[in-house]
Amino acid sequence: MTRGTLLNLPHAALGSLLAVLRQQGYNCIGPVVRDGAIVYRRVHHVSDLPYGWHDEQMPGTYRLERSNSPRAFSWAVGPEALKPLNFASGETLWRAERNHEGQIQFEETLPAAQPTAVIGVRACDLAALQLQDQHFLDGPYRDPYYAARREQLFLVAVHCTHPADTCFCASTGDGPQAEYGFDIEMYESEAGFLVAPGSAAGEAIVGELQLSKSNDSQRAIAEEEVRQAARKQTRTLPSQNLRDKLLASLDHPHWQEVAKRCLSCGNCSSVCPTCFCHTEHDNPALDGRTTEHVREWSSCFTAEHGDISGKPIRVQTHLRYRQWLTHKLGSWHDQYGRSGCVGCGRCITWCPVGIDITKEAAAIYEAQLS
Amino acid sequence: MNTEMVKPRIAVHKFSSCDGCQLAFLNAGPALLELAELTDIVYFAEAGSLEREVEIDIAFVEGSISTPQDLTRIKAIRENSAYLITIGACATTGGLQGLRNLYASNTRDWTGAIYARPEFIETLDESQPVSSHVKVDLELWGCPVSTQQIMTALRALLFGVTPGDDRDKICMECKRRHNVCVLITKAAPCMGPVTRTGCGAICPAYGRDCYACYGPAENINAEALATCFEGLGLLPQDIARRFHFINCNAPNFKQAGTIWRNKS
Ligand code: SF4
Ligand code: SF4
Ligand code: SF4
Ligand code: SF4
């Protein structure tokens, strides 16, 4: 839909947006400070939002600081994206029971998802959500568990003005301005928010709020702040399509070099908003009559991920790191028509040893050129 | 399941240990009653001895081998048992008491330093894992092991399949639990990236760093984590102690700790 006129929502009126969402039956989730990070959790009141909180992120480091800024969204993405809201980190896919005649009966365990509004979604995470939608919903095998939750989501984007040192969404073309995938978009400034609906559902909510129109100069200032956020980013990927370079470099010595530092811990793929790998297993009850079939997040950094018919094909770390990078930035293009990286920087911040995907990709890329 | 089937006979043995792993049975609640239905518990150290010298199908062994008597007894148990499972860090790697293997050049020296009458102390020079002396069919890691680990392994054996062995790192479980990483936010020297899953990432869920009570995971890079700890400001002897702790005799922890101890 075409971009609507931006409307004024003063800081003091943010609570009315939450109230309308709640009236319409949405459970509100938003950024809150928990255990030293900004994470998405249930928001009961606007005062739960991280007013004045800023993050300092570096490879392998995340710290929060507080100022007296009136803003609630002056931070870059925390450890969790929208991913866990749709693709559960662990869930039962079905149950089975053996009855007294010895027959096995299956029981479906589809989630009963509630309408959920997420406040403060970033452009990078919306881009990642589109990739997860492609993976879980498009094609012949639609994932009903993911779909049940995804269909209930209402997304309120806040354009990013505070990228972290680890962010590079401008380089991947996925931010800091959110361009699609939201129901409402908002710009935050010292004075308040400029708001516009992005979908029919968003229009219904914004329509309830009776907001005044903003003027052109307000829009210009807000947009300039987001453009500045793009200019603040220092990291870049060498190209938006590294597929051919990476796949031609499978024997490059740099994989071994990364493996000296890499812990093969899988934190990068767990925090990555686009990674979708999982493992499945059964949890039979001790009496052997009932069982639950469970799906959990997994990663190409585990041994099991490279287990083909009992034969481990990626025993060493350099092969696992190579799988991560050549899938994320390489074969993802074949599967989904673009790279699997949206530049959120999470894998850099939340890697215990601070391995930086932009540097490793550049090392392979440059070596190819020379 | 076929109720006509002969119930497998199980035994729970204790060696040098704190008895904590046996609690995984005693704390099982209703599952313990279920277990008593499904199996024939013929010997259980903590719950009071039943029969001891009979042939059994599944033997659980807690504790390390650290005295000459332990050595004789574990061999007899192995001979009488079709399937032998070690439970916990002591039985699997020699346990915390295995620190003496690293820090005492001579057993006599430290027994002399600790006991008034060291001549009454009869001990092996080292506290060793069960697998140093007899064949072990399955190792359940942890300090202590959980009820769930034991019941999962038992259920698999009752089905007649090989029990699974989850050797992923704690970090995988930690992220599934939505914990915020303490290493990244607090510079806490978390051992999660080298430690085997199984506990459910309990420590990071309470805001503290994992101390590796489940022992090494598969394909670990202890040197890279130790270097990371150095960057967080730990002194070499403190890094050594992260590895030389509950599972100090697991070969790759032993090696990593020794490298850093030698730097201090
Ligand atoms: S690869 Fe890293 S920077 Fe790219 S989307 Fe995933 S977590 Fe974000
Ligand atoms: S293979 Fe690795 S990089 Fe690709 S989706 Fe799975 S975890 Fe992510
Ligand atoms: S790159 Fe970092 S986060 Fe990813 S597996 Fe290696 S050490 Fe872990
Ligand atoms: S807190 Fe520890 S176990 Fe959890 S992700 Fe961080 S390093 Fe891994």
Side-chain angles (χ1 to χ4, degrees):
Chain A
M1 80 185 264
T2 50
R3 279 224 143 112
T5 317
L6 292 171
L7 305 168
N8 278 306
L9 178 78
H11 275 297
L14 186 60
S16 59
L17 171 63
L18 293 189
V20 170
L21 285 166
R22 240 176 247 125
Q23 259 164 31
Q24 309 273 337
Y26 290 103
N27 171 20
C28 292
I29 286 185
V32 300
V33 173
R34 202 54 58 77
D35 300 327
I38 291 172
V39 291
Y40 289 117
R41 291 287 187 276
R42 190 91 175 249
V43 175
H44 300 279
H45 188 266
V46 274
S47 62
D48 294 340
L49 296 171
Y51 284 98
W53 286 100
H54 315 283
D55 53 315
E56 259 318 308
Q57 301 192 39
M58 285 186 298
T61 308
Y62 180 105
R63 295 287 182 277
L64 286 178
E65 286 164 16
R66 199 165 193 182
S67 75
N68 53 14
S69 159
R71 300 186 189 218
F73 299 92
S74 47
W75 40 265
V77 290
E80 289 196 328
L82 298 170
K83 178 164 91 169
L85 296 177
N86 297 312
F87 171 32
S89 60
E91 71 180 317
T92 299
L93 298 185
W94 42 260
R95 284 196 194 89
E97 181 166 8
R98 196 187 338 232
N99 65 20
H100 288 287
E101 285 83 58
Q103 291 158 327
I104 297 177
Q105 283 164 333
F106 289 89
E107 185 199 331
E108 202 172 52
T109 53
L110 279 175
Q114 253 191 296
T116 300
V118 192
I119 322 290
V121 181
R122 298 305 195 192
C124 55
D125 285 346
L126 289 168
L129 180 65
Q130 194 184 52
L131 278 167
Q132 289 244 307
D133 285 352
Q134 257 178 286
H135 175 76
F136 286 103
L137 303 178
D138 295 357
Y141 305 110
R142 183 179 165 87
D143 185 305
Y145 304 88
Y146 180 99
R149 288 178 289 254
R150 175 69 180 96
E151 280 158 7
Q152 299 292 344
L153 276 197
F154 181 96
L155 301 167
V156 180
V158 178
H159 302 298
C160 186
T161 52
H162 286 73
D165 170 64
T166 42
C167 292
F168 56 102
C169 63
S171 150
T172 63
D174 295 303
Q177 167 100 21
E179 304 285 356
Y180 57 85
F182 49 77
D183 295 292
I184 294 179
E185 64 171 318
M186 311 213 294
Y187 290 92
E188 187 184 38
S189 72
E190 302 291 303
F193 300 94
L194 300 181
V195 179
S199 70
E203 228 156 54
I205 300 289
V206 174
E208 294 286 313
L209 291 170
Q210 317 276 332
L211 304 176
S212 65
K213 286 186 182 164
S214 68
N215 57 42
D216 286 351
S217 82
Q218 279 179 294
R219 177 191 279 268
I221 292 168
E223 286 179 349
E224 176 52 23
E225 211 186 345
V226 179
R227 275 196 294 273
Q228 261 177 32
R231 289 195 292 271
K232 275 188 230 162
Q233 297 182 11
T234 53
R235 284 183 162 72
T236 56
L237 278 176
S239 152
Q240 286 182 7
N241 192 344
L242 293 162
R243 180 192 177 278
D244 295 348
K245 299 275 186 216
L246 288 174
L247 296 182
S249 311
L250 296 182
D251 296 322
H252 198 282
H254 191 73
W255 302 117
Q256 299 277 6
E257 200 286 314
V258 186
K260 285 186 202 143
R261 291 173 278 136
C262 176
L263 303 164
S264 189
C265 65
N267 275 309
C268 46
S269 64
S270 292
V271 295
C272 180
T274 68
C275 275
F276 46 69
C277 282
H278 64 264
T279 177
E280 289 180 24
H281 59 261
D282 293 287
N283 281 344
L286 185 59
D287 67 5
R289 305 189 70 86
T290 60
T291 188
E292 293 190 338
H293 189 75
V294 174
R295 168 168 75 178
E296 286 182 330
W297 287 359
S298 186
S299 162
C300 48
F301 286 94
T302 68
E304 189 202 18
H305 192 281
D307 204 67
I308 309 269
S309 303
K311 183 172 162 43
I313 58 159
R314 286 192 291 273
V315 178
Q316 295 140 308
T317 303
H318 73 281
L319 299 175
R320 299 186 191 176
Y321 191 85
R322 190 182 78 179
Q323 168 64 25
W324 146 262
L325 209 73
T326 54
H327 184 216
K328 182 107 328 203
L329 303 177
S331 52
W332 213 286
H333 288 272
D334 303 295
Q335 281 180 289
Y336 308 105
R338 58 157 293 175
S339 125
C341 177
V342 298
C344 73
R346 286 186 177 92
C347 59
I348 305 174
T349 298
W350 300 95
C351 169
V353 292
I355 289 174
D356 179 343
I357 187 172
T358 64
K359 287 214 174 79
E360 308 311 336
I364 305 252
Y365 180 81
E366 276 148 27
Q368 262 292 303
L369 289 181
S370 56
Chain B
M1 90 173 265
N2 183 358
T3 44
E4 304 297 304
M5 210 174 88
V6 183
K7 287 181 179 182
R9 296 158 72 84
I10 71 169
V12 183
H13 298 280
K14 173 192 159 58
F15 286 80
S16 299
S17 59
C18 76
D19 285 31
C21 286
Q22 292 175 68
L23 293 180
F25 287 94
L26 296 183
N27 292 341
L32 187 59
L33 301 178
E34 193 92 55
L35 186 68
E37 287 277 304
L38 295 166
T39 66
D40 198 1
I41 305 173
V42 295
Y43 178 76
F44 194 160
E46 174 96 332
S49 299
L50 305 171
E51 296 172 66
R52 188 157 149 180
E53 305 297 339
V54 293
E55 297 274 315
I56 50 157
D57 297 299
I58 307 166
F60 291 91
V61 179
E62 175 198 88
S64 68
I65 309 303
S66 72
T67 67
Q69 292 79 6
D70 285 350
L71 200 49
T72 321
R73 192 155 60 91
I74 192 65
K75 286 181 177 153
I77 288 170
R78 176 70 266 191
E79 284 197 352
N80 290 340
S81 315
Y83 197 88
L84 190 150
I85 304 177
T86 59
I87 52 171
C90 299
T92 308
T93 66
L96 192 60
Q97 61 274 29
L99 283 168
R100 79 171 194 236
N101 310 359
L102 306 166
Y103 290 89
S105 51
N106 182 328
T107 306
R108 288 287 142 229
D109 289 347
W110 62 259
T111 46
I114 296 167
Y115 297 103
R117 302 288 300 274
E119 63 273 25
F120 291 125
I121 305 294
E122 203 178 354
T123 178
L124 298 173
D125 278 344
E126 294 201 333
S127 166
Q128 290 183 328
V130 171
S131 62
S132 296
H133 300 288
V134 298
K135 176 173 171 275
V136 171
D137 300 298
L138 179 70
E139 293 176 331
L140 295 180
W141 296 69
C143 182
V145 288
S146 70
T147 300
Q148 204 194 334
Q149 281 170 283
I150 289 185
M151 297 307 164
T152 305
L154 253 173
R155 183 63 259 171
L157 292 171
L158 292 172
F159 278 142
V161 299
T162 311
D165 188 17
D166 191 349
R167 299 174 303 146
D168 284 355
K169 280 113 193 164
I170 298 279
C171 296
M172 290 303 299
E173 196 55 37
C174 194
K175 285 289 184 284
R176 288 186 200 119
R177 246 184 118 151
H178 314 292
N179 295 338
V180 173
C181 178
V182 298
L183 195 156
I184 305 298
T185 55
K186 298 202 278 202
C190 187
M191 292 289 279
V194 293
T195 303
R196 166 191 289 256
T197 185
C199 65
I202 301 173
C203 289
Y206 289 94
R208 57 156 296 169
D209 37 319
C210 161
Y211 55 91
C213 65
Y214 270 66
E218 63 86 35
N219 186 36
I220 67 168
N221 190 343
E223 195 47 30
L225 189 65
T227 308
C228 165
F229 289 172
E230 189 182 34
L232 301 179
L234 265 71
L235 296 171
Q237 65 263 36
D238 296 330
I239 297 171
R241 280 191 204 113
R242 298 302 286 160
F243 291 94
H244 284 176
F245 193 37
I246 292 170
N247 289 287
C248 51
N249 281 298
N252 38 15
F253 277 12
K254 185 175 192 167
Q255 189 196 6
T258 304
I259 290 171
W260 288 81
R261 192 176 59 167
N262 292 340
K263 289 188 194 183
S264 61

